[in-house]
Amino acid sequence: MIQEYEPEATRRAASDTESSRASRGWWDRNADEYQNEHGAFLGDDRFVWGPEGLDEAEAGLLGPAAELKGRRVLEIGAGAAQCSRWLAAQGARPVALDLSHRQLQHALRIGTDARPDGDGPEPGVSQAVALVEADAGALPFRDASFDLACSAYGAIPFVADPVRVMREVRRVLRPGGRWVFSVTHPIRWAFPDEPGPEGLSVGASYFDRTPYVEQDEAGRAVYVEHHRTLGDRVRDVAAADFRLVDLVEPEWPEWNNQEWGGWSPLRGNLIPGTAIFVCVAD
Ligand SMILES: C[S@@+](CC[C@H](N)C(=O)[O-])C[C@H]1O[C@@H](n2cnc3c(N)ncnc32)[C@H](O)[C@@H]1O
């Protein structure tokens, strides 16, 4: 009989290698549940920046949708590539990259299911996107091979060295290209990750950067999240040679009554849940 082991939650250092290994394993094991739970909210080919539901179609953080046609776009930590599918529907040429094989299998499944004969996406409904299984810390692309790069909660919150990832993004972007990424708003680190009233009282130091780690019996990390303060994130962007042109904190919209983990209407109306960094490679 297989014994189910409940991982132990702790706060401790976690290297880049350990973090990547933990992320790959965790997302491979949990991709089915993630897509099952959040797939309907994400939509098969919408581009949603986070649990508030801010949609790129209305936000235009990558630039006006009408100007996406023909653009080469790299999506980092793409999961099932919903955002890339929306980009493809605008005429862009997206590449969806993720560390997790299972997440990318969902990208294949959605792309295939979208067509009635199951043979691939129906033209104009859901477009095929290129899928690449790789670590965001070592991008398998030539210099200056993309016009835009984006990430909706992909990779950045899970890596020990976000500057390394952003330097890689900077390398593969052409000069003048945009890099837009969303992460958990740093203020959330100070609060318990609970959607109800218990998630409204500060319980930890905002300034404590010690990673959140879930580990197995042998002390191996099986899930890692890294915290950066808002100032850290701004410095990371600058260290990777990007210019920050906007920092978007989406407000919780009235229409959204869905909880997503610790994100809820209750908390969303009081404190920000997502931070979106809009950067340019000068
Ligand atoms: C919260 S999910 C977001 C997925 C998708 N962007 C969405 O909005 O549903 C985070 C994704 O980042 C991926 N990821 C984590 N660490 C990564 C890394 N080092 N390199 C590439 N992808 C990574 C995970 O496999 C997972 O699919």
Side-chain angles (χ1 to χ4, degrees):
M1 198 174 94
I2 297 169
Q3 292 284 326
E4 279 290 322
Y5 175 75
E6 191 63 35
E8 175 204 9
T10 184
R11 299 278 296 274
R12 67 161 172 82
S15 71
D16 227 17
T17 310
E18 188 181 26
S19 301
S20 279
R21 194 183 305 126
S23 287
R24 181 179 288 115
W26 197 89
W27 287 100
D28 277 347
R29 283 190 306 280
N30 291 280
D32 293 5
E33 193 183 325
Y34 178 84
Q35 298 301 335
N36 207 16
E37 200 176 333
H38 304 297
F41 182 78
L42 291 169
D44 284 351
D45 45 18
R46 273 178 71 204
F47 189 142
V48 178
W49 282 109
E52 295 81 9
L54 180 69
D55 205 308
E56 175 60 11
E58 67 183 79
L61 302 180
L62 290 166
E67 291 173 20
L68 291 171
K69 197 165 188 309
R71 303 279 179 172
R72 301 159 302 170
V73 191
L74 175 61
E75 185 186 2
I76 305 270
Q82 287 92 345
C83 302
S84 283
R85 240 174 272 107
W86 178 82
L87 288 162
Q90 311 313 307
R93 291 153 52 201
V95 173
L97 175 140
D98 202 283
L99 185 66
S100 158
H101 188 71
R102 188 65 187 160
Q103 285 279 62
L104 293 174
Q105 281 183 322
H106 281 283
L108 273 181
R109 169 186 61 77
I110 296 171
T112 306
D113 284 357
R115 189 159 164 165
D117 58 11
D119 241 3
E122 191 173 8
V125 173
S126 181
Q127 312 287 322
V129 302
L131 306 176
V132 173
E133 187 176 327
D135 193 314
L139 297 175
F141 307 109
R142 281 198 300 268
D143 296 1
S145 45
F146 292 94
D147 302 303
L148 299 163
C150 59
S151 181
Y153 278 80
I156 300 292
F158 307 104
V159 298
D161 189 353
V163 175
R164 179 172 158 218
V165 171
M166 294 202 217
R167 286 202 173 120
E168 274 294 86
V169 173
R170 178 72 179 77
R171 180 182 66 74
V172 303
L173 270 182
R174 65 154 170 83
R178 253 174 193 232
W179 160 228
V180 186
F181 66 96
S182 64
V183 291
T184 304
H185 196 290
I187 193 66
R188 289 285 172 122
W189 195 250
F191 294 85
D193 193 24
E194 298 289 342
E198 63 280 27
L200 292 176
S201 304
V202 170
S205 168
Y206 168 76
F207 300 104
D208 183 357
R209 278 83 157 179
T210 314
Y212 170 82
V213 175
E214 292 175 10
Q215 57 187 20
D216 67 14
E217 284 162 302
R220 279 182 302 249
V222 293
Y223 180 84
V224 180
E225 254 183 63
H226 290 270
H227 171 58
R228 311 285 288 149
T229 66
L230 206 50
D232 292 339
R233 292 257 182 246
V234 170
R235 283 183 288 276
D236 290 350
V237 162
D241 210 13
F242 282 106
R243 180 166 53 90
L244 183 66
V245 294
D246 200 358
L247 170 50
V248 179
E249 296 164 296
E251 295 189 28
W252 197 273
E254 221 173 302
W255 61 263
N256 188 358
N257 54 14
Q258 296 227 13
E259 289 187 357
W260 178 320
W263 288 262
S264 62
L266 174 77
R267 297 218 298 163
N269 279 306
L270 298 170
I271 50 170
T274 297
I276 312 175
F277 294 79
V278 183
C279 316
V280 173
D282 284 327

